[in-house]
Amino acid sequence: TVGLRSFYQPYFKEGATIVPRALWFVEVKSHPVLGFDPSLPYVQTAERAQEEAKPAYKGLRLEGNIEKDFLYATLLSTDIVPFEHLDFRLVVLPLLPSGKHFKLLSASEARNQGFLNLANWLDRTQSEWQERRGEKAGRMDVYGRLDRYKGITGQNRTAKYKVLYPISATYLCSCVMEDKPFRIEVEGQTIEAQGFVADYKSFYYDTDNKEEAYYLATVLNSPTVDELLKPMQSRGLWGPRDICKKVLEIPIPQYNPSNESHRALSQLGEQCTQ
């Protein structure tokens, strides 16, 4: 219907600006014989974060031990596929639980609370930020960049389900993140992340309603919805590109458990995910 938007338009939010990637995206460095300590692993800037870094951050590499309390999972937009996702990305984030949300820790706060490894990591991130940003660093520190528009501290860490879709893609796709242990396998050992944080390259919707989550995933993965979206997308070299909140200008109705079609779509979403 022309002029109507989806009920969900105001409720989908853009994820956190976990940038520069080289400061936060990491991989575990495992000893060939001894492996690593899951409670205090030795991590280094992820190879992909280095390869894809902007010119100012080329060659930037951080490494050191980090307390497991500050290892989180995220996904890039390219990791989202219909009803599923590729492997989680490991990120160092200075966060502690605070009610339904997160509290951001500064280096001094981390040091005062005994998180010395995190404090050292944060000292280096701020130093690199200031050096590489130059005069621009005076406008915003590294914490302000990380939590721009409350992209992290505004996320509901207690939501049972997150519905994700990419901010930009040729074809719309979506998956559901359930609130369960987020495990990352590293050379036969397992790192268990403290939680999942949506990245700014994706939009997310928090809900405690399982049926609603899978209903939305089914609708967003629908070829019909993708066809309706196509005329709204800007075009790049390889065809349709930006999705942003344009898809929510399509009047996708609120999930109604008494609607038989809505229930059927939800069941399909769960089956496709499985």
Side-chain angles (χ1 to χ4, degrees):
T1 306
V2 177
L4 292 181
R5 293 187 172 191
S6 172
F7 163 83
Y8 293 102
Q9 203 270 348
Y11 302 110
F12 268 88
K13 299 177 182 176
E14 192 173 349
T17 48
I18 311 175
V19 294
R21 303 292 202 200
L23 297 178
W24 310 113
F25 280 70
V26 298
E27 51 200 14
V28 174
K29 194 173 182 180
S30 181
H31 187 279
V33 176
L34 303 176
F36 60 88
D37 178 359
S39 66
L40 192 69
Y42 194 89
V43 300
Q44 62 186 17
T45 297
E47 187 175 336
R48 180 170 171 177
Q50 293 182 54
E51 290 173 355
E52 299 180 359
K54 292 183 177 180
Y57 301 98
K58 285 289 184 186
L60 173 53
R61 182 191 186 93
L62 297 183
E63 56 184 305
N65 291 96
I66 201 79
E67 295 89 348
K68 68 178 178 60
D69 311 68
F70 306 103
L71 291 171
Y72 286 80
T74 193
L75 295 169
L76 300 182
S77 62
T78 49
D79 298 328
I80 301 170
V81 296
F83 297 105
E84 249 304 345
H85 58 82
L86 306 184
D87 292 340
F88 290 117
R89 311 280 176 160
L90 194 63
V91 284
V92 173
L93 293 174
L95 305 176
L96 283 178
S98 179
K100 288 186 175 183
H101 301 282
F102 295 107
K103 171 181 167 56
L104 206 61
L105 289 183
S106 66
S108 60
E109 288 171 328
R111 193 165 279 111
N112 290 339
Q113 294 190 40
F115 301 117
L116 302 184
N117 293 282
L118 175 68
N120 291 336
W121 188 277
L122 294 176
D123 283 339
R124 282 175 283 165
T125 61
Q126 183 61 26
S127 175
E128 291 285 356
W129 172 261
Q130 289 176 327
E131 181 181 335
R132 293 167 187 264
R133 292 280 290 178
E135 293 180 5
K136 292 181 180 179
R139 301 178 203 164
M140 182 186 294
D141 64 13
V142 73
Y143 307 105
R145 187 69 177 110
L146 191 59
D147 195 34
R148 195 177 186 190
Y149 307 126
K150 297 192 179 297
I152 285 185
T153 56
Q155 294 196 32
N156 182 354
R157 68 176 191 85
T158 65
K160 293 180 181 177
Y161 302 92
K162 264 185 168 60
V163 182
L164 298 175
Y165 71 82
I167 195 170
S168 180
T170 300
Y171 299 101
L172 176 64
C173 59
S174 177
C175 69
V176 174
M177 298 292 307
E178 293 196 28
D179 183 22
K180 58 185 179 182
F182 299 102
R183 297 188 176 98
I184 298 171
E185 299 295 324
V186 181
E187 298 180 13
Q189 286 184 261
T190 302
I191 286 278
E192 187 165 318
Q194 298 303 301
F196 178 84
V197 174
D199 178 72
Y200 81 106
K201 288 293 187 179
S202 62
F203 276 91
Y204 71 93
Y205 172 71
D206 289 326
T207 180
D208 290 328
N209 186 326
K210 179 180 181 179
E211 289 75 23
E212 180 185 41
Y214 285 106
Y215 156 80
L216 271 172
T218 302
V219 172
L220 292 171
N221 281 311
S222 159
T224 303
V225 170
D226 189 63
E227 287 169 15
L228 291 170
L229 172 67
K230 281 289 171 281
M232 305 182 199
Q233 288 180 272
S234 61
R235 298 188 70 84
L237 185 62
W238 306 109
R241 186 179 58 191
D242 293 324
I243 296 171
C244 300
K245 277 198 166 184
K246 292 182 177 69
V247 65
L248 300 171
E249 293 175 17
I250 298 167
I252 298 165
Q254 182 181 12
Y255 177 71
N256 181 354
S258 64
N259 184 310
E260 187 177 339
S261 296
H262 288 197
R263 292 199 309 273
L265 287 169
S266 177
Q267 289 164 9
L268 281 169
E270 191 170 4
Q271 289 167 11
C272 289
T273 298
Q274 290 169 353

